[in-house]
Each structure stands twice: as C-alpha cells, then as structure tokens.
Amino acid sequence: MVATSTLIVTAIPLLYLAFALGLGLWSRGEADQETTEGYVAGNRGIGLLVLYFIMGASILSGFAFLGGPGWAYSRGAAALYILVYGGFGMLPWYLFGPKISRLGREMGYVTQADFITDRYDSRLLSGLMAVVSVGAFIPYLVIQIKGVGFVLNEASNGLIPFWLSALLPFAVIAVYVFTSGMMGVGWSNVLQGIMMIVLAWGLGLYLPFELYGGLQPMFERIAAEQPTHLVVGAPEMPMLRYSSYIVVSALGFVMWPHLFMRAYTADSERTLKRTVVLYPTFQYLLIPILLIGFSGVLYVTDLSNPDRILPHLVTTLDLNPFLVGFFFAGALAAAMSTADAIVHAAASITARDFYKPLFDPGIDDRREARLMKLAVFPIVGVAYYFALFSPVEIVQLLAGAYGAIIQFLPLVVGALYWPRATREGALAGLFAGASVTVLFTFFAASPLQLHAGLWGLLATTAVFIPVSLVTEVDDIEFAREIIRLSRPESVRDPPGSPSGVATDGGTDPDAPGDEGEGRCSR
C-alpha cells in the first residue's frame, strides 16, 4: 500500500502542473497567436515584470536545481563557475540588447537569424544557423526532460516511472506553447520564477542548519575532512579548464537564441535596460542551490548520479510531506521555465529560419505562425527520445551546447559594428567554428583541456575576419544602414553619411514597402 506521505508529495507537483497549464492557456489572449509577431514576440509589448522573469527563469533551469547541486556535491568549488559567468553573462546585453530591439521594430525581425542573415543577405546562413541553434537546443531540452523525470520519479518514490515523469510536464509545456506562444511562456515563467526563489532559499538555508548547525560549521567540517573539495583547480577541474568554462559561458550567455529573441519582445528600450540591470538579482538564487550540494558532501557517500543529490537529500530527511512536495514542485518549475522558452524558440526558428528561407520564401504570415505551432510537438518528441537513452552528465550537456551557440558572437558583433563584414566571411567562419567545436567535443581531446567551444570561437573569428577582408560586401549601403538604425534616433547619422546610406541609389528606410521588412527572404 502506498504511504499517505508519498501520495501527498506526489500530488503537489501534479497540482502545480495543472495550475501551470491553466495559466499558460489563460495568457494567450494578450497577443494575436495567429500572427508571427504575436506568437514569437508577444506583439512587442512585454513589460518589466514578465521580461525580468523570462530572462531569469529561462536560464535557471533543471541545470540549476539539479546540475548545480550535483557539481557542488561532486566537484566542490569548481561549481562556483556558475556564479561567475551568471554575474557577467548579461553585461554585453546592455550594449547589444537595445540595438537589437531597435532593429526588430524597424525591420520586423523576430528571431536571431532574422537579423544576422538579413544583414549578410544569405538564406544558406539562415538555414545553417537554424541547424546549429536547434542542434544546441536539443541537449538543452534533454537536460530539462531528465530534470523533470528525476523530480517526479523521486517525488513519487518510483510510483510514477521515469518515462512518464519526463513526459507529463513536457506534454503540459507543448500544449500551452502551442496555444499561447510567447505570452504563455512569459506568464508561466513569472509563476515558476517566484516558486524557485522562495523554495531555493528555503531549502538552501534549511539543509546546512539541519545537518551541520549552520553555514560556517558546514564549511569548517568540509575543510577539515575533505579540503580539496573547497579548492578550485583540483584534479577533476584544472584551473585552465575552469577558466575556459567561464569565458565560453559568459560570452555565449546572450547568444542563446531564446534569450537573444527577448530583445524583440520588450515594450520599450527602457524596459530592456532595466531588465539587464536587475537581472543579477535573480542570480542570487544560485547561492542556496550550491549550498544544497555542499550540504550533502559529508552525508551522502554512495550516490552514483550526482545530479540526484537534491531529491536524495529531501526524501531521506524526516520533513513534512507538504514541504517536500513544494520543494519538488519548485524543482519542476525550474526545469519547465527553461524548457518552455526553448521549445517556443526552437519551433519558431525551425519555421522562420529553416523552412521559410530554404523551401517557401513566399509563405504568408498566418501559415508561418501555424507551422511554428506544428513544429512544437516533433521538437519535444526528439528531445524526449534522447533524454531516455542519454547517459551524459547534465552540466556536460549544457557546456557542450554553449560551445555551439557561442559561434554566433563574431557574426553579431560584425553585423552591429563592422560594415566590412561579408556573407562569405560569416558562412566560412560559422562553418569553421562549428566544425572545430564538434571535433573537440565528440571525436578528439580538447588541447590544454580547454572548453571545445573556446577553440571553436577562435576558429570562427580567425576565419571570419580575413575572409571578409578578401571578399566584397554585396550592399555596403545596407550594411551601414543596419548600423545606423541600431543607434538611438537622437544620435543616428543622417542618410548619406559614412555610417548611413548614400542618397544616390541607397536604401531608404522610409520608402513604401520597406517598413518592417528585411530584404532576405522575409
């Protein structure tokens, strides 16, 4: 007979799933879900509260609630890299974000590849970026599916099998992303973010006091009994490798398409900048999450999978079942808050950046929005399949995905600041960087134990710049116009200046038919 406490612990996360589904479906009415702009960008009307939680909750995911404690438990101080890159990762967006937002409103962009491939005038680049993006999204989704599978399976004490534990939350996500698009993701992230903040701090402070009598006694005992656990650069994570993980994660932070695309959703540039300034406050959530992992170092010695340290601690302590149930619901919210944003972005990219430019450039807006919705279910299905059979550690999955996404950084910088950057340079650079990253991720040991994505970034840059210098920009006036339009209106150069568009034959952004439309297959 199943114990009453197990039923209570299981019921609370399931009730949370039902509430999340209802909220996701309710929010659809705030934007026209039958248009691309409404489905992808929420009609560009998202305010500070929702944008803050979208940006925060989209990053602090199943990786944070499961992989973060897992690294603190198994690798100790090396897990602090999560705090470092999280603190610095949003800083570039204070510069890039407003520029991207302005271009989105001027040119009608709603995805990352919209902007980049329009600037470089290449449908092939759009397709290549879509493949790289979705290819990186799949392991990121696998992380979340494994996370929700762990949570419900542990919460139910095995009553709900892993395959069903992983399936139920993603079925909920698929339904509200299908029906409500960006607005469903946004308001769900508000709910999920609030739950994460409250429950992470509650559990992160409770466990050290329950097991050790406080934070200081916990670290004093670890220092006395396992001192290498508190040293960065231990054999499991040499300093050079540790540093490369920070660099790649910080630089690649806002290159993730689902975060990049949020610049298009803000209702104003002021909202976007305030979100960037406030974002580090959400990173404080990582402190109690790491404390959870450290609290298990001396109490759990035979855990085969470090990513299970949080559910293991919660279920083995004599806690009130209602409290345990809420903790599991918080972990479930963490995984879902990232998963819904990724599913939404992956479906949008599949239709907008892959199918449309390569196979049906003339597709109308409503058919495109429908295609995005239909792409939701196969994307979830593919990630679910890999989640059931992939033995890779959660943090390693995320690190590999970052290595792929960071290759977009030179192309973004070139498009925003360097009119001399060319299509050939962008294509050659991206291909070189992605190839090097794949090589050192799957087929060969990375030199100096550096993150494979760092070698890829060096390759992308080393190819992108010289190839651009030896090839010609097809439309230098348009390249300069992109840079001009990315600036605030009060400081824009007039058309005809070196940074603007020449008046004799150049592109006039106010000409009929140009408003809200890029030039490359849009």
Side-chain angles (χ1 to χ4, degrees):
M1 183 176 179
V2 180
T4 302
S5 59
T6 300
L7 293 177
I8 294 173
V9 172
T10 306
I12 292 175
L14 293 178
L15 288 173
Y16 164 76
L17 285 179
F19 185 76
L21 177 61
L23 179 64
L25 295 175
W26 165 82
S27 62
R28 73 181 308 272
E30 297 192 21
D32 186 354
Q33 303 304 321
E34 300 306 315
T35 66
T36 298
E37 187 172 80
Y39 184 78
V40 180
N43 284 353
R44 307 186 195 274
I46 290 181
L48 179 62
L49 174 68
V50 176
L51 190 60
Y52 171 76
F53 278 103
I54 289 174
M55 298 297 285
S58 292
I59 285 293
L60 298 177
S61 59
F63 155 70
F65 263 71
L66 298 171
W71 261 44
Y73 166 71
S74 63
R75 305 192 183 196
L80 296 177
Y81 98 93
I82 302 170
L83 287 174
V84 178
Y85 89 74
F88 288 99
M90 192 61 73
L91 291 180
W93 209 229
Y94 195 84
L95 299 175
F96 294 166
K99 289 178 174 289
I100 300 302
S101 180
R102 293 174 202 127
L103 288 169
R105 294 180 185 278
E106 293 274 2
M107 306 296 287
Y109 302 145
V110 294
T111 69
Q112 186 181 45
D114 259 2
F115 157 57
I116 294 177
T117 60
D118 196 40
R119 158 61 178 86
Y120 295 110
D121 194 18
S122 173
R123 295 179 183 179
L124 177 60
L125 182 59
S126 182
L128 182 59
M129 287 188 64
V131 170
V132 173
S133 298
V134 176
F137 276 149
I138 294 300
Y140 212 158
L141 277 177
V142 169
I143 294 170
Q144 315 316 319
I145 295 176
K146 284 177 174 285
V148 297
F150 289 160
V151 168
L152 283 182
N153 184 253
E154 292 283 347
S156 66
N157 198 23
L159 182 65
I160 305 177
F162 179 82
W163 69 267
L164 185 57
S165 299
L167 181 62
L168 286 175
F170 270 75
V172 169
I173 288 171
V175 170
Y176 72 69
V177 170
F178 177 86
T179 59
S180 304
M182 186 65 247
M183 300 310 302
V185 171
W187 282 107
S188 296
N189 282 179
V190 173
L191 167 68
Q192 292 151 352
I194 292 172
M195 287 190 64
M196 282 191 284
I197 292 172
V198 173
L199 297 173
W201 275 105
L203 188 58
L205 294 178
Y206 172 81
L207 287 174
F209 278 88
E210 174 69 18
L211 298 176
Y212 298 89
L215 295 176
Q216 182 174 335
M218 177 179 75
F219 284 110
E220 287 176 344
R221 282 193 56 188
I222 295 174
E225 299 180 34
Q226 294 191 27
T228 59
H229 211 72
L230 300 180
V231 178
V232 176
E236 303 87 20
M237 179 61 75
M239 183 60 73
L240 199 58
R241 187 180 185 194
Y242 173 81
S243 300
S244 72
Y245 269 60
I246 292 174
V247 171
V248 169
S249 299
L251 293 178
F253 198 77
V254 292
M255 287 302 104
W256 278 101
H258 65 294
L259 293 182
F260 192 100
M261 290 162 61
R262 300 304 166 248
Y264 300 129
T265 68
D267 60 8
S268 68
E269 292 177 27
R270 183 184 180 190
T271 292
L272 191 61
K273 287 185 175 182
R274 291 170 70 186
T275 302
V276 174
V277 171
L278 290 173
Y279 175 80
T281 63
F282 213 97
Q283 290 291 299
Y284 284 116
L285 181 63
L286 290 170
I287 296 174
I289 285 172
L290 295 181
L291 293 177
I292 293 170
F294 280 113
S295 69
V297 170
L298 301 180
Y299 277 84
V300 183
T301 58
D302 58 350
L303 194 63
S304 59
N305 186 346
D307 295 328
R308 285 184 177 266
I309 186 64
L310 186 154
H312 178 84
L313 287 172
V314 170
T315 54
T316 54
L317 295 174
D318 187 21
L319 299 177
N320 183 291
F322 285 98
L323 187 61
V324 175
F326 279 111
F327 283 139
F328 277 119
L332 195 65
M336 293 177 65
S337 67
T338 296
D340 55 16
I342 292 175
V343 169
H344 174 258
S348 303
I349 289 168
T350 299
R352 177 97 170 163
D353 301 330
F354 185 78
Y355 176 81
K356 179 179 179 179
L358 297 183
F359 300 102
D360 192 1
I363 189 173
D364 64 64
D365 189 60
R366 292 188 176 272
R367 283 181 56 221
E368 184 182 24
R370 287 196 296 270
L371 186 61
M372 291 174 179
K373 295 180 181 182
L374 292 176
V376 166
F377 295 101
I379 287 169
V380 170
V382 169
Y384 177 76
Y385 171 82
F386 282 109
L388 294 186
F389 300 103
S390 173
V392 181
E393 189 178 337
I394 283 180
V395 172
Q396 297 290 18
L397 277 173
L398 183 62
Y402 263 99
I405 290 301
I406 197 177
Q407 309 312 319
F408 297 153
L409 179 60
L411 278 63
V412 171
V413 173
L416 289 174
Y417 299 101
W418 190 32
R420 190 64 186 78
T422 69
R423 173 178 59 242
E424 292 78 9
L427 283 168
L430 184 57
F431 180 79
S435 299
V436 169
T437 302
V438 170
L439 173 65
F440 291 137
T441 299
F442 298 106
F443 301 106
S446 179
L448 304 178
Q449 298 190 51
L450 296 178
H451 194 299
L454 186 58
W455 290 115
L457 179 62
L458 294 174
T460 300
T461 306
V463 173
F464 173 56
I465 293 175
V467 172
S468 291
L469 290 174
V470 299
T471 53
E472 295 295 328
V473 182
D474 286 341
D475 189 348
I476 190 67
E477 295 175 353
F478 183 78
R480 290 171 177 162
E481 177 71 352
I482 287 292
I483 295 173
R484 189 182 76 86
L485 291 176
S486 72
R487 297 168 179 162
E489 289 188 20
S490 59
V491 298
R492 286 180 186 173
D493 299 314
S497 67
S499 296
V501 177
T503 55
D504 51 346
T507 302
D508 178 2
D510 297 320
D514 287 346
E515 181 75 20
E517 284 292 336
R519 60 175 179 169
C520 181
S521 73
R522 307 298 177 201

